Amino acid sequence: MKPAPFEYHRPTSLAQALDLVATLENPKILAGGQSLVAMMNFRFVQPDHLVDLARIGELSGIEEQGNVLRIGAMTRQRELEFSDLIARRLPLMHAALDHVGHRQTRNRGTIGGSLSHNDPSAELPLVALAFDASVELASRRGKRRISARDYLRGYLETALEADEILVAIEFPCWREGHGFGFHEFARRHGDFAIAGAAAMIELGAGAIVERLSITLNGVGATALRLDETEAAMIGHRLDSVLLRRAILAEVERLEPVDDVHATADYRRHLAKMLTMRAIADAAQAAGAPMARI
Amino acid sequence: MGKQKVTLRVNGVSYEREIDPRMTLGDFLRHEIGLTGTHLGCEHGVCGACTVLINGLSGRSCLAFAVQEDGSEITTVEALAENGELNILQQCFQEHHALQCGYCTPGMLMTLTELLRDNPKPSEKLVRDTLGGNLCRCTGYAAIVDAALDAAQRLAAAREA
């Protein structure tokens, strides 16, 4: 369980790092290393060059820009977990972080690393998708910004090109008083989720759903949104019967993996139950408790 | 694939070595400087046996390369005993029979050292959640949780005295 040999690079600016990934043969970017180093130890990944972003100060930090929180890609999960700004403006992220790995891995793991590894059961890609966050990607060719939905392409796959580095993630905040809920099932607290669900809701007068976001992990190649359920509910009163029907129909069509951890049927079952619980929590927090569904 | 020079401060002592970049921090501690208290279990970040403190924060020494930690301050289980005497947390482990084979113990101790520093009065739930990152195949955890909670009380009493 020892990695194959590689050369190690520690740039101190983004420009240096971009030069390295653009010119080196078979490079890999090292962020917190909590997934990559494990994969290197197994020799699933054998880069010739490792470009460590840890000493590039401009890549970490949380910045409030009006209604948007901009989070540097190298910001450690620990910093997010203990940030008052995150707890106040992105409470769903705060709740989800409790399920991200363990104390020892959150101390080192980064948000950018998690989004770029894009494990289908990871929480931070789910949170990015739930908020319709956008990601900023840089290369020597320039910068571009794309939505989390376009970035999180599939199983351990993102839209990051070989010469690009994920620089920051921008989260548009939901209005104060919005409701949120997060539920996840894992064999052991902090382990990879079998399935998880997040919900955020903004209610208007008469408990009319003005805004709704329902996101799942563990039931597809990457995190996914229940677009049809959202569309069916927006503009209507929060009705637990309608909601239940929409969730059951949409989740039934998902095709999660059938593996040693859980059957596809069981994952679908979890997805339905966890989604309903997450929405129930969100509705309660938004001030419109629903009948138990 | 040349060697690289690194300087790490481990338990207050500086060590300068020329190493392969692929050497993990755990292997550096054991093979380069002979501190074999840190145990490597799974070597892919699941078991937590190799937990050490890196600049005061717990981390898995199998998931860090020593070159990444050039200039860092590392604390290992060897630093816990004071003047040859087990510290309070270690004494509690002994008294509560919180170890059997002992393989996971250094990692448990380092995880709890951080926890009790940051949360001097942890709830049982917090102790259990935190220990979720460390596997033990002997004890069933109950004695480890007891030892941690007892240590919290005795550390608080020692602070007040």
Side-chain angles (χ1 to χ4, degrees):
Chain A
M1 297 277 291
K2 308 292 177 193
F6 57 83
E7 242 173 81
Y8 175 78
H9 306 267
R10 191 164 55 210
T12 52
S13 72
L14 178 60
Q16 279 174 17
L18 293 174
D19 282 344
L20 287 168
V21 294
T23 52
L24 293 171
E25 197 65 36
N26 188 24
K28 189 82 193 161
I29 298 163
L30 174 64
Q34 301 303 285
S35 301
L36 176 61
V37 179
M39 293 174 83
M40 287 176 65
N41 286 353
F42 273 121
R43 302 204 180 192
F44 290 153
V45 183
Q46 301 190 15
D48 289 311
H49 297 271
L50 208 52
V51 179
D52 184 359
L53 304 185
R55 313 270 169 125
I56 306 178
E58 62 195 288
L59 289 183
S60 56
I62 308 166
E63 209 183 312
E64 195 171 12
Q65 299 176 340
N67 203 36
V68 168
L69 285 198
R70 181 183 163 89
I71 302 177
M74 282 297 291
T75 309
R76 308 275 167 183
Q77 291 153 8
R78 174 195 179 83
E79 286 169 60
L80 302 174
E81 183 183 357
F82 293 112
S83 158
D84 291 335
L85 201 53
I86 298 289
R88 203 172 70 243
R89 304 296 309 273
L90 306 176
L92 174 68
M93 180 188 285
H94 182 77
L97 278 162
D98 187 43
H99 300 265
V100 177
H102 306 283
R103 167 86 288 122
Q104 301 100 319
T105 60
R106 290 195 298 274
N107 282 344
R108 300 180 64 76
T110 66
I111 183 170
S114 178
L115 258 66
S116 301
H117 182 56
N118 197 19
D119 188 287
S121 62
E123 293 82 6
L124 289 170
L126 169 147
V127 171
L129 188 63
F131 276 97
D132 290 312
S134 56
V135 298
E136 188 179 303
L137 310 175
S139 70
R140 289 206 297 191
R141 297 170 284 130
K143 285 193 173 171
R144 66 182 175 126
R145 180 168 306 188
I146 61 173
S147 67
R149 199 182 277 250
D150 290 338
Y151 183 69
L152 304 169
R153 198 172 266 176
Y155 181 77
L156 302 185
E157 189 191 345
T158 67
L160 198 70
E161 298 286 343
D163 63 343
E164 283 182 314
I165 292 177
L166 172 59
V167 172
I169 306 98
E170 294 189 345
F171 289 83
C173 302
W174 282 42
R175 83 175 176 225
E176 213 166 312
H178 74 271
F180 69 94
F182 182 80
H183 283 269
E184 179 177 293
F185 181 76
R187 298 282 289 265
R188 164 175 74 144
H189 185 91
D191 267 4
F192 289 111
I194 306 279
M200 291 195 290
I201 196 164
E202 283 181 5
L203 295 176
I208 298 292
V209 179
E210 290 184 343
R211 207 173 169 198
L212 179 65
S213 157
I214 307 169
T215 319
L216 299 174
N217 65 2
V219 287
T222 182
L224 55 90
R225 287 273 288 266
L226 292 188
D227 294 316
E228 290 168 27
T229 305
E230 291 174 14
M233 296 310 298
I234 288 169
H236 299 281
R237 257 185 77 89
L238 202 55
D239 179 303
S240 57
V241 177
L242 273 182
L243 184 61
R244 188 187 168 88
R245 195 177 300 152
I247 292 168
L248 294 187
E250 193 168 8
V251 170
E252 204 46 56
R253 286 197 301 278
L254 298 178
E255 291 180 357
V257 291
D258 215 340
D259 67 11
V260 64
H261 302 293
T263 61
D265 272 344
Y266 183 53
R267 284 178 205 269
R268 272 189 291 264
H269 169 75
L270 281 175
K272 292 169 195 166
M273 299 313 294
L274 296 172
T275 300
M276 290 183 208
R277 286 179 198 171
I279 297 177
D281 282 0
Q284 170 109 25
M290 288 193 304
R292 185 127 186 100
I293 48 175
Chain B
M1 308 272 173
K3 295 201 175 219
Q4 214 156 326
K5 193 160 84 179
V6 295
T7 306
L8 277 79
R9 239 179 121 70
V10 183
N11 302 333
V13 180
S14 273
Y15 298 89
E16 194 181 295
R17 293 287 189 277
E18 295 253 329
I19 56 166
D20 273 337
R22 65 167 164 162
M23 176 174 271
T24 64
L25 176 60
D27 282 344
F28 179 88
L29 295 170
R30 292 178 59 85
H31 303 312
E32 281 294 321
I33 64 177
L35 292 180
T36 53
T38 299
H39 293 169
L40 289 160
C42 70
E43 296 191 287
H44 66 285
V46 171
C47 77
C50 67
T51 300
V52 298
L53 302 186
I54 303 169
N55 297 319
L57 299 178
S58 65
R60 302 186 150 157
S61 62
C62 72
L63 293 188
F65 294 114
V67 282
Q68 283 177 268
E69 299 311 324
D70 190 17
S72 291
E73 180 89 40
I74 312 295
T75 312
T76 69
V77 69
E78 283 93 347
L80 297 187
E82 293 150 7
N83 306 318
E85 298 265 327
L86 298 181
N87 76 4
I88 289 177
L89 178 62
Q90 290 170 307
Q91 285 171 33
C92 288
F93 261 60
Q94 186 177 39
E95 289 167 22
H96 288 271
H97 303 287
L99 60 147
Q100 288 179 33
C101 84
Y103 201 86
C104 71
T105 311
M108 292 281 176
L109 289 169
M110 299 318 289
T111 296
L112 290 170
T113 296
E114 177 189 53
L115 175 72
L116 296 176
R117 179 197 67 201
D118 295 346
N119 300 81
K121 289 181 181 169
S123 63
E124 183 181 330
K125 182 180 184 310
L126 181 60
V127 170
R128 286 184 177 276
D129 281 354
T130 306
L131 290 178
N134 293 72
L135 293 180
C136 171
R137 301 290 81 169
C138 304
T139 64
Y141 304 97
I144 299 175
V145 174
D146 290 346
L149 292 170
D150 190 21
Q153 285 197 350
R154 283 163 64 175
L155 285 164
R159 269 192 304 273
E160 280 163 26

